[in-house]
Amino acid sequence: GQSLEQPSEVTAVEGAIVQINCTYQTSGFYGLSWYQQHDGGAPTFLSYNALDGLEETGRFSSFLSRSDSYGYLLLQELQMKDSASYFCAVRKQKSYGGSQGNLIFGKGTKLSVKP
Amino acid sequence: DTEVTQTPKHLVMGMTNKKSLKCEQHMGHRAMYWYKQKAKKPPELMFVYSYEKLSINESVPSRFSPECPNSSLLNLHLHALQPEDSALYLCASSQEEEVGTHRRYEQYFGPGTRLTVT
């Protein structure tokens, strides 16, 4: 089978740092993605790690260790607008052209940022 | 234009109705997707189109019928749905590119169609 595990809920205060972990077990792996989804909205892309290491984009960083089947999303300087659900997703395959890849999503982590 | 559009935003249909959901993107992406998302659950992949050909069908019931008329459009035809099919239906397209020394793979999601089957 395949599974992605991430915490169901996380609470933090404005200005703090939060790390959301994701462990995965899938048949086929080409990369780990993170998406943010506000209530009533569509998922929006945050990051993609195809190789081991840390990727940084502004206040958000994502890490991948393929040998440990583990990754995390780090959110710094939390703001109220960061309150949302965060999904890790494994890219299971890619087409010859590279643009296709089916994503298998984790169950999501609901982040609540308090004043 | 980095947008995926979907129509309609909301749809209420009876179990005997036939309706269609529409999705459009003009980013030149050659892979497009349909997902189903129930409340407080992750998106579940339904179909993948690559270069206008169906490449993945995740064992979706035949009452859902996808169609890709051209590289910019994706439809989902609905017929004889059940109340448990009520959900948010998301369309997405994807691209992969080298950004500096890193590889970036991103799926762009539309706002979704919120479907209620009565």
Side-chain angles (χ1 to χ4, degrees), chain A residues 33-100:
Chain A
S33 296
W34 289 91
Y35 285 80
Q36 178 193 61
Q37 187 175 29
H38 287 96
D39 286 345
T44 56
F45 173 83
L46 292 177
S47 69
Y48 175 70
N49 294 67
L51 302 175
D52 292 350
L54 189 68
E55 299 257 356
E56 297 178 85
T57 309
R59 295 187 297 115
F60 296 79
S61 302
S62 58
F63 173 82
L64 175 65
S65 168
R66 288 173 297 170
S67 60
D68 295 322
S69 299
Y70 163 76
Y72 66 72
L73 178 70
L74 191 73
L75 300 87
Q76 303 182 74
E77 301 172 18
L78 280 176
Q79 302 175 8
M80 297 294 289
K81 67 178 182 179
D82 297 329
S83 293
S85 291
Y86 292 83
F87 295 94
C88 62
V90 164
R91 183 185 184 188
K92 277 196 62 181
Q93 70 178 65
K94 59 192 287 187
S95 67
Y96 176 76
S99 61
Q100 177 197 318

Side-chain angles (χ1 to χ4, degrees), chain A residues 33 35 37 40-43 45 48 50 55 87 91 93-95 97-107, chain B residues 30-31 33 35 37 41-43 45 48 50-51 55-56 58 88 90 94 96 102-107 109-111:
Chain A
S33 296
Y35 285 80
Q37 187 175 29
F45 173 83
Y48 175 70
E55 299 257 356
F87 295 94
R91 183 185 184 188
Q93 70 178 65
K94 59 192 287 187
S95 67
S99 61
Q100 177 197 318
N102 55 326
L103 291 178
I104 305 301
F105 284 80
K107 293 182 178 179
Chain B
R30 303 312 296 270
Y33 312 79
Y35 289 87
Q37 186 176 27
K41 298 290 187 184
L45 184 66
V48 180
S50 180
Y51 293 89
S55 65
I56 295 176
E58 291 285 5
L88 180 67
L90 294 161
S94 66
E96 184 168 15
H102 302 285
R103 193 151 203 86
R104 176 185 170 111
Y105 170 76
E106 178 174 352
Q107 288 198 6
F109 284 83

Side-chain angles (χ1 to χ4, degrees), chain B residues 37-105:
Chain B
Q37 186 176 27
K38 301 280 258 183
K40 300 190 187 303
K41 298 290 187 184
E44 290 180 39
L45 184 66
M46 300 174 72
F47 302 104
V48 180
Y49 272 82
S50 180
Y51 293 89
E52 295 102 70
K53 292 192 183 337
L54 182 65
S55 65
I56 295 176
N57 175 342
E58 291 285 5
S59 303
V60 180
S62 59
R63 58 186 184 267
F64 295 90
S65 175
E67 177 197 21
C68 189
N70 60 55
S71 60
S72 300
L73 293 174
L74 191 65
N75 298 323
L76 186 63
H77 303 298
L78 314 172
H79 172 56
L81 294 193
Q82 304 296 310
E84 59 264 29
D85 296 321
S86 297
L88 180 67
Y89 288 84
L90 294 161
C91 173
S93 67
S94 66
Q95 77 168 13
E96 184 168 15
E97 60 182 355
E98 297 284 346
V99 180
T101 58
H102 302 285
R103 193 151 203 86
R104 176 185 170 111
Y105 170 76

